[in-house]
Amino acid sequence: MEYFVKRIDEPDFGCEGRPEGKPAMDKVWLEDENQHTIVIEIEDEKLYALDINEKDRVWYSENEFRKI
């Protein structure tokens, strides 16, 4: 399904840093054409690799996440 990326929140680990062995996970707010919003968690590195930013159009399903 097609979505609009409304917002991306990167984690803030403060002075303690990221837990060892765990990837940084971003919260991504996606909005569909009917203005229904879902929030998913995606690895920060994957968002950078896919060049996905706020205001982008994306395709998201259980098996796929990509920029349109």
Side-chain angles (χ1 to χ4, degrees):
M1 183 170 205
E2 282 189 39
Y3 290 93
F4 168 76
V5 180
K6 276 183 80 169
R7 180 173 152 186
I8 298 173
D9 286 340
E10 296 179 350
D12 181 8
F13 298 107
C15 60
E16 296 168 0
R18 186 175 71 212
E20 188 175 323
K22 299 212 178 203
M25 301 294 287
D26 296 347
K27 287 189 179 182
V28 181
W29 276 254
L30 301 175
E31 184 177 274
D32 68 15
E33 63 188 25
N34 298 315
Q35 298 180 338
H36 294 109
T37 301
I38 62 171
V39 180
I40 61 172
E41 284 194 324
I42 302 274
E43 286 184 29
D44 186 63
E45 287 184 19
K46 185 172 184 175
L47 287 178
Y48 279 106
L50 295 171
D51 189 32
I52 293 175
N53 301 289
E54 291 180 356
K55 300 182 182 178
D56 284 343
R57 284 245 172 247
V58 296
W59 176 265
Y60 173 72
S61 68
E62 289 184 31
N63 302 321
E64 187 177 9
F65 186 65
R66 63 180 165 84
K67 191 173 187 175
I68 297 177

